[in-house]
């Protein structure tokens, strides 16, 4: 069996075609010299021409004929098989369309005088003592330059060595099963995204990435876990198999936080500590951010401003909550009913605010007044506890428990993130001004990101600010969403690494590919991914786009990760892929 595997590997690494056309502004075209069924869309190929090796991606396979009549006529039914095969070989062919991505100047043979001269001339593109660095494609290969499927060395050259610290194996090439890495150091430097239609395994893919980040341990991770999926062990909804939670593997390095005093996660699990929001932590901006959810009117900012003027930034919310709605008393002089001193109307008139606007705002904020996790005096400063935990190098999963409404998610996520942003900005400014300890990089994971980062709300949330500019303050986002087209364009354009499963909507596909070169060629590839366990890697954290078969989130994954193993044996991988 091993012999068969080896022969297949050798066959896959041999030449599959040669260049027949193309250019820098379009794809390279290659004539295929092997069975077209052995090459798939998304295949990673290399082209050797002179001192250069080009790296590209197969984006299309096209059938052709030297004369249309040969394609129309079924000669295999009229001629002997050997003759028909020979005729087909001369008259029918398949061309590959190859999206060029990178090129590497290999230079003369090492050890020769020419090689030493070449290294001196190309010092700016070389790293270390002997390795050249791939650069964007700036020229074209010669006609008839050989095209081959990339081997494991090529994959490691471009995507990194799986055994090197900071390189996390996210999946394997679809044809040969070679491990493909994302560079976690680059990954945390810019905001990133995990996308895919409902049911494509986004949560499992996100668990993989989070496990890699936590094991890498160069950044803290805050997960805003709206659906209670990441902290404790769970059961898969489709297979009913056990799903390992991050808390089970990272123990004291990770704190699961419940929302509200006495909170339980899925009715059974006790969090490490609970998060309560003090009334004096709620700012008018936090309320304005809820305009669509609470159906607030255009007069809301004026009313909020009057409340702050009357009671101060710290006390306005608690004071407004204590006001009575439609409370009246009798005027002793006229005998008429007038607003009671503790009523909303009484305050509105004294503050010069429209009665109806004040009453409407009070009525709509009653949904917040009644939230059990919003209290006047929390048992502890749990927001500071979350911030201190992250700053100390540990990770936090905030589970919303039974508080799964959009209102809960929008209020708590934005307020907590605003506080974190302020803390990290302060730490960064102190570090740059006075030196000392450098701030710990932080990745905030945002589920259902379109609810917080849509066009209407993006400008009002802390998340948009982070996506645009906060990476200079060591904070980035990892947004997880099934409808990327509903996320504000400016936010999507700031994303570095993008990991996308299958998407069926054209607008979602267009959004994920926005701002990337070659997006027209990649659009069809993204639409034709397998619904599960295939993803397209794009952007900052990977040197070039590549579809891969993602790792499975199972016991093998945890054994490899926690045992500091980045890859499986080649025979095991090939067996899994059906070879």
């Amino acid at each position: 069996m091993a012999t068969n595997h080896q022969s297949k590997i050798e066959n896959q690494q041999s030449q599959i075609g040669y260049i027949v056309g193309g250019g820098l502004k379009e794809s390279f075209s290659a004539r295929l010299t092997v069975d077209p069924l052995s090459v798939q869309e998304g295949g990673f190929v290399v082209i050797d021409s002179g001192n250069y090796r080009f790296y590209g991606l197969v984006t299309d396979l096209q059938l052709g004929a030297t004369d249309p009549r040969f394609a129309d006529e079924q000669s295999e039914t009229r001629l002997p098989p050997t003759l028909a095969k020979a005729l087909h070989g001369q008259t029918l062919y398949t061309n590959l369309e190859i999206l060029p991505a990178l090129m590497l100047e290999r230079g003369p043979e090492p050890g020769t005088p020419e090689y030493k001269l070449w290294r001196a001339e190309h010092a700016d593109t070389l790293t270390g003592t002997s390795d050249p660095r791939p650069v964007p494609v700036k020229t074209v290969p010669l006609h008839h330059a050989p095209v081959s499927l990339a081997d494991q060395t090529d994959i490691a050259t471009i995507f990194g060595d799986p055994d090197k610290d900071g390189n996390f194996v996210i999946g394997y090439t679809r044809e040969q099963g070679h491990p493909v890495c994302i560079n976690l150091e680059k990954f945390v430097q810019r905001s990133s995204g995990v996308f895919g239609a409902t049911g494509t395994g986004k949560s499992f893919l996100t668990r993989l990435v989070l496990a890699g980040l936590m094991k890498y341990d160069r950044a803290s991770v805050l997960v805003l876990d709206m659906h209670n999926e990441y902290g404790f062990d769970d059961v898969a909804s489709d297979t009913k198999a056990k799903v390992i939670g991050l808390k089970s593997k990272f123990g004291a390095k990770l704190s699961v936080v419940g929302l509200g005093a006495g909170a339980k996660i899925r009715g059974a699990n006790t969090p490490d500590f609970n998060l309560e929001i003090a009334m004096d932590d709620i700012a008018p901006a936090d309320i304005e951010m809820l305009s669509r959810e609470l159906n607030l009117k255009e007069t809301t900012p004026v009313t909020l401003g009057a409340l702050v003027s009357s009671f101060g930034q710290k006390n306005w919310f608690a004071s407004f909550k204590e006001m009575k709605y439609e409370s009246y008393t009798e005027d002793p002089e006229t005998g008429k009913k007038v607003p009671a001193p503790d009523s909303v109307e009484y305050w509105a008139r004294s503050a010069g605010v429209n009665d109806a606007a004040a009453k409407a705002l009070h009525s709509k904020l009653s949904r917040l007044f009644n939230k059990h996790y919003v209290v006047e005096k929390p048992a502890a400063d749990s927001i500071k506890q979350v911030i201190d935990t992250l700053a100390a190098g540990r990770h936090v999963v905030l589970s919303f428990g039974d508080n799964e409404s959009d209102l809960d998610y929008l209020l708590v996520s934005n307020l907590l993130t605003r506080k974190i942003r302020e803390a990290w900005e302060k730490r960064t400014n102190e570090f740059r001004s006075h030196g000392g300890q450098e701030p710990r990089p932080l990745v905030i994971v945002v589920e259902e990101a379109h609810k917080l980062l849509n066009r209407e709300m993006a400008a009002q949330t802390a998340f948009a600010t982070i996506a645009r500019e906060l990476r200079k303050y060591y904070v980035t986002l990892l947004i997880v969403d099934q409808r990327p087209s509903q996320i504000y364009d400016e936010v999507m354009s700031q994303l570095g690494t993008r990991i996308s499963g299958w998407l069926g909507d054209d607008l979602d596909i267009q959004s994920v590919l926005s701002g990337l070169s070659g997006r027209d060629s990649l659009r069809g590839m993204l639409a034709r991914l397998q619904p599960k366990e295939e993803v397209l890697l794009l952007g900052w954290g990977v040197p070039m786009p590549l579809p891969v078969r993602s790792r499975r989130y199972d016991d093998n994954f945890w054994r490899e990760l926690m045992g500091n193993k980045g890859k499986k044996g080649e025979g095991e991988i090939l067996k899994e892929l059906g070879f």
Side-chain angles (χ1 to χ4, degrees):
M1 196 62 162
T3 303
N4 291 336
H5 285 164
Q6 185 63 34
S7 65
K8 289 185 178 181
I9 293 170
E10 292 173 353
N11 180 59
Q12 289 167 335
Q13 292 176 353
S14 62
Q15 181 178 336
I16 62 170
Y18 55 90
I19 294 295
V20 294
L24 288 177
K25 294 184 179 180
E26 58 190 43
S27 296
F28 296 158
S29 183
R31 182 65 50 84
L32 199 62
T33 56
V34 298
D35 185 347
L37 297 177
S38 65
V39 181
Q40 298 181 24
E41 178 188 46
F44 185 20
V45 297
V46 296
I47 306 163
D48 291 316
S49 184
N51 286 337
Y52 290 95
R53 169 162 280 199
F54 297 82
Y55 299 90
L57 199 64
V58 175
T59 57
D60 196 11
L61 290 88
Q62 299 175 341
L63 298 174
T66 56
D67 189 301
R69 291 175 297 176
F70 291 117
D72 291 338
E73 296 177 0
Q74 293 183 299
S75 55
E76 61 273 11
T77 63
R78 300 187 298 102
L79 300 173
T82 53
L83 184 57
K85 183 177 181 180
L87 182 62
H88 287 180
Q90 295 296 319
T91 60
L92 304 178
Y93 58 85
T94 302
N95 277 357
L96 299 181
E97 292 297 319
I98 300 172
L99 177 67
L102 298 168
M103 57 184 283
L104 182 147
E105 187 173 3
R106 298 175 297 174
E109 188 70 22
T112 64
E114 293 82 2
Y115 180 76
K116 294 180 180 179
L117 179 63
W118 173 78
R119 277 196 58 80
E121 293 175 348
H122 295 80
D124 59 332
T125 61
L126 301 178
T127 59
T129 57
S130 61
D131 295 331
R133 184 173 65 241
V135 297
V137 173
K138 298 178 180 178
T139 186
V140 296
L142 299 175
H143 276 92
H144 303 165
V147 178
S148 306
L149 284 174
D151 60 20
Q152 189 164 346
T153 301
D154 295 315
I155 301 291
T157 298
I158 300 302
F159 291 92
D161 184 350
D163 293 325
K164 186 177 179 181
D165 185 38
N167 289 335
F168 174 68
V169 176
I170 189 69
Y172 305 92
T173 55
R174 295 187 296 186
E175 288 90 351
Q176 311 105 312
H178 299 318
V180 179
C181 301
I182 54 175
N183 185 307
L184 293 177
E185 182 177 354
K186 295 186 68 176
F187 186 87
V188 300
Q189 289 174 1
R190 294 181 61 179
S191 292
S192 52
V194 175
F195 305 107
T198 301
T200 55
K202 286 189 307 301
S203 294
F204 288 102
L205 187 59
T206 305
R207 286 185 182 97
L208 290 174
V209 175
L210 294 181
L213 287 173
M214 292 177 184
K215 183 66 170 66
Y216 178 57
D217 203 28
R218 302 291 173 82
S220 296
V221 177
L222 168 63
V223 184
L224 301 173
D225 189 4
M226 183 178 184
H227 302 300
N228 310 308
E229 296 178 306
Y230 299 102
F232 295 110
D233 295 352
D234 199 358
V235 176
S237 58
D238 50 355
T239 63
K240 308 303 179 185
K242 182 179 179 181
V243 179
I244 301 296
L246 296 172
K247 178 67 176 177
S248 296
K249 295 297 181 179
F250 291 99
K253 286 287 292 180
L254 183 147
S255 295
V256 177
V257 180
L259 185 57
K264 296 285 187 180
I265 311 304
R266 291 196 298 273
N269 298 297
T270 302
D272 294 286
F273 63 92
N274 296 314
L275 174 68
E276 292 182 305
I277 293 176
M279 292 183 184
D280 60 14
D281 278 331
I282 298 178
D286 298 323
I287 304 301
E288 292 177 35
M289 186 270 301
L290 302 171
S291 293
R292 187 166 68 172
E293 185 65 24
L294 294 177
N295 192 27
L296 301 179
K297 304 301 181 183
E298 294 179 356
T299 56
T300 296
V302 175
T303 308
L304 291 171
L307 284 166
V308 172
S309 297
S310 297
F311 304 106
Q313 186 73 37
K314 291 288 188 180
N315 298 318
W316 75 268
F317 187 87
S319 300
F320 198 37
K321 178 183 177 182
E322 292 303 315
M323 293 180 192
K324 299 295 191 295
Y325 185 80
E326 293 190 341
S327 175
Y328 299 97
T329 187
E330 186 176 291
D331 188 330
E333 296 182 2
T334 64
K336 295 182 179 180
K337 293 178 65 175
V338 294
D342 60 354
S343 69
V344 175
E345 288 171 284
Y346 186 90
W347 167 79
R349 293 178 184 182
S350 63
V353 175
N354 181 272
D355 291 5
K359 288 169 63 178
L361 179 60
H362 189 277
S363 176
K364 290 171 181 178
L365 288 188
S366 64
R367 292 177 61 189
L368 295 183
F369 295 154
N370 296 326
K371 293 296 182 183
H372 69 96
Y373 55 82
V374 178
V375 297
E376 188 169 1
K377 293 183 179 180
D381 190 349
S382 46
I383 291 181
K384 182 178 184 299
Q385 192 172 355
V386 169
I387 292 173
D388 290 345
T389 299
L390 296 169
R394 299 192 298 276
H395 315 289
V396 171
V397 174
L398 173 58
S399 289
F400 281 72
D402 297 329
N403 310 289
E404 290 191 322
S405 73
D406 288 351
L407 180 62
D408 297 312
Y409 188 58
L410 297 176
L411 173 67
V412 176
S413 297
N414 188 68
L415 189 149
L416 179 59
T417 304
R418 175 172 60 81
K419 292 283 189 178
I420 289 172
R421 184 193 73 191
E422 293 169 358
W424 254 256
E425 286 182 352
K426 181 180 179 181
R427 292 168 187 266
T428 302
N429 290 333
E430 288 177 353
F431 168 69
R432 290 175 176 162
S433 300
H434 309 294
Q437 186 175 4
E438 186 175 12
R440 169 88 165 179
L442 172 63
V443 178
I444 302 177
V445 183
V446 187
E447 286 194 298
E448 305 285 351
H450 67 274
K451 295 178 179 178
L452 288 156
L453 291 168
N454 56 62
R455 181 175 295 276
E456 293 81 8
M457 293 179 58
Q460 303 178 53
T461 66
F463 299 98
T465 304
I466 293 173
R468 285 195 303 268
E469 61 187 45
L470 218 67
R471 59 190 172 95
K472 60 187 177 186
Y473 292 105
Y474 299 86
V475 183
T476 56
L477 299 178
L478 171 57
I479 63 178
V480 183
D481 208 279
Q482 71 271 22
R483 293 306 310 272
S485 60
Q486 296 183 15
I487 297 174
Y488 188 31
D489 296 344
E490 185 179 351
V491 173
M492 288 296 296
S493 68
Q494 298 298 318
L495 297 184
T497 311
R498 307 172 196 188
I499 306 173
S500 181
W502 176 82
L503 291 166
D505 187 273
D506 287 340
L507 292 177
D508 290 331
I509 293 173
Q510 182 178 339
S511 180
V512 169
L513 298 176
S514 62
L516 299 175
S517 60
R519 54 186 174 273
D520 292 336
S521 299
L522 298 172
R523 183 174 288 113
M525 189 181 306
L526 187 52
R528 286 187 287 271
L529 291 173
Q530 291 294 324
K532 289 189 176 182
E533 295 189 7
E534 281 191 359
V535 296
L536 183 61
L537 307 179
L538 304 152
W540 172 254
V542 289
M544 59 176 281
L546 188 70
V548 301
R549 188 181 299 273
S550 65
R551 293 173 83 170
R552 292 184 176 179
Y553 186 81
D554 54 17
D555 290 338
N556 286 334
F557 165 76
W558 283 111
R559 280 195 294 270
E560 293 164 7
L561 182 72
M562 306 311 282
N564 203 28
K565 297 291 184 181
K567 58 182 180 179
K568 298 181 182 180
E570 198 160 62
E572 183 181 355
I573 295 167
L574 289 169
K575 184 177 180 180
E576 284 187 2
L577 298 180
F579 292 107

